Amino acid sequence: MTVHIDLAGRTALVTGSTQGIGAAIATGLARAGARVAVNGRTAAGVQKAAVALRSEVPGADVIEIDADVASDEGAARTLDLLPTVDILVNNLGIFGPTPALEISDDEWRRYFEVNVLAGVRLTRAYLPAMMERGWGRVQYIVSDSAVAIPAEMIHYGVSKTALLGVSRGFAKAAAGTGVTVNSVLAGPTHTGGVENFISELMGDSLPWDEAQREFMRLHRPQSLLQRLIEPEEIANMVTYLASPLASATTGAAVRVDGGYVDAIIP
């Protein structure tokens, strides 16, 4: 049987989609036929990402939204430019290593604002219309760190744990409406930010392939994949969950973690 995902006629917003996982998700949704809104904080960054997406997917219908969705003003601008969506992918997130006892109150608040409240605010704005129309998809890009809190960045892990509860709660709010709400629990993924993160931990003296292997061996030994996940592998799951094929999956934390989380049930 051939599985064909068709998102023609659907409009998707992917926050934080100028690079990394977000850019891969935007590309995957565009390949499936969706009209895709690329989002980032600067017009130059968004324009560059949109050009790359149109090059990768010829004929793609791309909307450019330069707005910091972690702020009230940025969220309002996003809603002005894109009043309704069928698919909302809350991908925006920040991370970085800081010793647990050195994380300030301001840093805790910043992680909550960006990693949690940005997605909550947009879901609150877009979900009601989805429910009225009887179809919609809301997704949160979470992390293995939500259930296996990393010692080097507990503020990041806790923010992602909160998103699991947010996702489940909004799924209950949308119960019976035809709208699904899910989390995608991503494992250690190969992005530019992660390359920088690994360099901070492992130093710059090792070649990349060796540094990556050492990082996985020392800091993520429970990975069954034993390599970093490629962003496109995350995007494949997001595209599936955005499709009609995933109509019975809601309120779930779907794992694309390379077997990192040592649990039978997500």
Side-chain angles (χ1 to χ4, degrees), residues 3-7 29 32 87 135 137 139 180 237-248:
V3 176
H4 177 65
I5 294 178
D6 184 4
L7 295 176
L29 294 173
I87 301 161
W135 199 95
R137 300 287 187 264
Q139 297 184 49
T180 67
M237 179 60 76
V238 172
T239 302
Y240 164 73
L241 289 174
S243 77
L245 299 177
S247 56

Side-chain angles (χ1 to χ4, degrees), residues 14 25 38 63 105-106 130 156 184-185 235 260:
V14 185
I25 291 170
V38 173
I63 307 163
D105 286 357
D106 285 343
M130 293 183 187
Y156 171 74
V184 175
L185 202 154
Y260 178 84

Side-chain angles (χ1 to χ4, degrees), residues 42-67:
T42 68
V46 171
Q47 184 179 46
K48 181 179 178 181
V51 168
L53 176 50
R54 293 187 182 103
S55 175
E56 188 75 20
V57 186
D61 188 352
V62 183
I63 307 163
E64 300 177 24
I65 298 182
D66 57 311

Side-chain angles (χ1 to χ4, degrees), residues 59-256:
D61 188 352
V62 183
I63 307 163
E64 300 177 24
I65 298 182
D66 57 311
D68 180 3
V69 297
S71 69
D72 290 332
E73 297 78 12
R77 173 171 168 76
T78 300
L79 289 165
D80 285 342
L81 294 172
L82 192 65
T84 62
V85 299
D86 303 294
I87 301 161
L88 171 62
V89 182
N90 293 297
N91 169 74
L92 177 66
I94 55 174
F95 67 95
T98 306
L101 296 177
E102 297 177 15
I103 305 169
S104 67
D105 286 357
D106 285 343
E107 194 71 345
W108 275 105
R109 292 187 188 99
R110 185 169 78 96
Y111 270 70
F112 183 82
E113 287 281 347
V114 177
N115 290 0
V116 183
L117 194 53
V120 169
R121 187 183 290 115
L122 290 177
T123 302
R124 196 172 58 221
Y126 285 122
L127 184 58
M130 293 183 187
M131 294 166 63
E132 289 176 10
R133 293 193 301 270
W135 199 95
R137 300 287 187 264
V138 178
Q139 297 184 49
Y140 298 86
I141 306 305
V142 189
S143 164
D144 55 79
S145 296
V147 291
I149 304 294
E152 71 274 8
M153 48 180 185
I154 66 170
H155 51 339
Y156 171 74
V158 169
S159 71
K160 293 299 185 177
T161 304
L163 278 184
L164 293 177
V166 165
S167 175
R168 181 70 183 180
F170 278 123
K172 290 182 176 182
T177 66
V179 178
T180 67
V181 184
N182 293 290
S183 295
V184 175
L185 202 154
T189 304
H190 184 191
T191 65
V194 168
E195 283 195 22
N196 293 336
F197 175 61
I198 290 175
S199 294
E200 286 183 40
L201 288 177
M202 308 305 301
D204 296 323
S205 60
L206 294 175
W208 165 247
D209 286 345
E210 187 177 344
Q212 176 187 181
R213 286 195 299 271
E214 280 298 289
F215 170 77
M216 296 300 288
R217 184 180 69 83
L218 295 174
H219 296 279
R220 302 293 186 268
Q222 58 270 55
S223 169
L224 303 182
L225 201 61
Q226 297 184 356
R227 65 166 173 83
L228 290 174
I229 298 163
E230 293 302 321
E232 292 75 17
E233 293 174 301
I234 309 297
N236 290 340
M237 179 60 76
V238 172
T239 302
Y240 164 73
L241 289 174
S243 77
L245 299 177
S247 56
T249 303
T250 190
V254 182
R255 290 165 54 181
V256 191

